[in-house]
Amino acid sequence: LKATVSIRDFLHLGPDSEVAGVAAYGSTVTLVTALGKVKRFAVEPGAKQALAMDPKDELVAAFIADEAADVIFITSAGQLLRTAVTGVPVQGAGARGVGGIRLKDSARVVAAGAAGDTGFVVTVAGSGATASSLKVTPVSAFPRTGRDGVGVRCHRLLAAESALIGGWAGGTPLACSPGGKPLPLPQIDDRRDASGSASPAAKVVLGSAPGAA
């Protein structure tokens, strides 16, 4: 990472802005917000807005999803909803999206992605911004439902854990530290709502192996 340039500096982002995803012109990107909204948006040259949002909402994830894949929503309350990407409408830049997952109390979506039956879900539990446990679960362990439901529990919190603080869904998962040091992931756990294994670090960045769907 020493030879890289900060994307924040490259794009001249303000202190309250972050990059949620990267997409090529001509692609259709799936956008998911913290309050559970979702939409698909066709990226065209010159586009300056992709999603209209409530002032209390924020963009959590932006990703390319194959038509045969499912959109996976993961919430801070430990709920997960899996629904077909084809059930998410393609909307214009000014649209606010449709209901993706219904949230309980003060829960928020902390991660979202696209995966199929052969993919995996990684959930990260902790307190504040500190990770304490991770769980890797096959996508096939979670039922596919319609969008705008409450989903099912995907990670049982331990006594010292206040919420899920992160997650990921996709093909072959990988983990590293914010500085780029590779980190081990726990063994795959087929149990849908079990607790996780001890986190290898206080902060974990999740992603997929090159070429993984």
Side-chain angles (χ1 to χ4, degrees):
L1 294 178
K2 292 182 180 179
T4 61
V5 176
S6 166
I7 195 167
R8 181 181 295 278
D9 294 338
F10 181 75
L11 296 176
H12 305 289
L13 297 178
D16 297 327
S17 298
E18 294 183 3
V19 174
V22 178
Y25 287 134
S27 61
T28 299
V29 62
T30 301
L31 306 172
V32 177
T33 76
L35 295 183
K37 295 294 185 180
V38 62
K39 69 182 276 188
R40 290 193 289 164
F41 174 71
V43 182
E44 301 294 342
K48 297 188 179 194
Q49 181 185 24
L51 176 68
M53 287 190 298
D54 184 287
K56 296 180 180 179
D57 204 356
E58 63 180 335
L59 186 63
V60 170
F63 51 89
I64 305 298
D66 186 270
E67 290 286 314
D70 296 317
V71 179
I72 310 292
F73 302 82
I74 301 169
T75 79
S76 58
Q79 295 293 112
L80 179 149
L81 186 139
R82 173 189 178 191
T83 191
V85 68
T86 52
V88 178
V90 178
Q91 298 181 318
R96 293 177 177 266
V98 295
I101 184 171
R102 295 186 184 183
L103 301 172
K104 299 178 180 180
D105 301 323
S106 59
R108 296 174 73 85
V109 175
V110 295
D117 273 333
T118 59
F120 296 92
V121 171
V122 183
T123 47
V124 184
S127 183
T130 302
S132 56
S133 71
L134 278 69
K135 184 164 79 79
V136 180
T137 313
V139 169
S140 58
F142 303 101
R144 181 186 292 111
T145 65
R147 61 173 178 79
D148 203 25
V150 298
V152 296
R153 190 167 71 168
C154 63
H155 190 128
R156 180 165 53 84
L157 299 176
L158 300 174
E161 297 172 338
S162 60
L164 289 191
I165 62 173
W168 176 89
T172 302
L174 294 175
C176 70
S177 69
K181 178 183 177 181
L183 296 173
L185 285 169
Q187 293 294 315
I188 296 170
D189 191 336
D190 292 325
R191 297 172 297 171
R192 174 178 63 80
D193 60 350
S195 57
S197 301
S199 176
K203 294 186 180 297
V204 179
V205 179
L206 300 169
S208 62

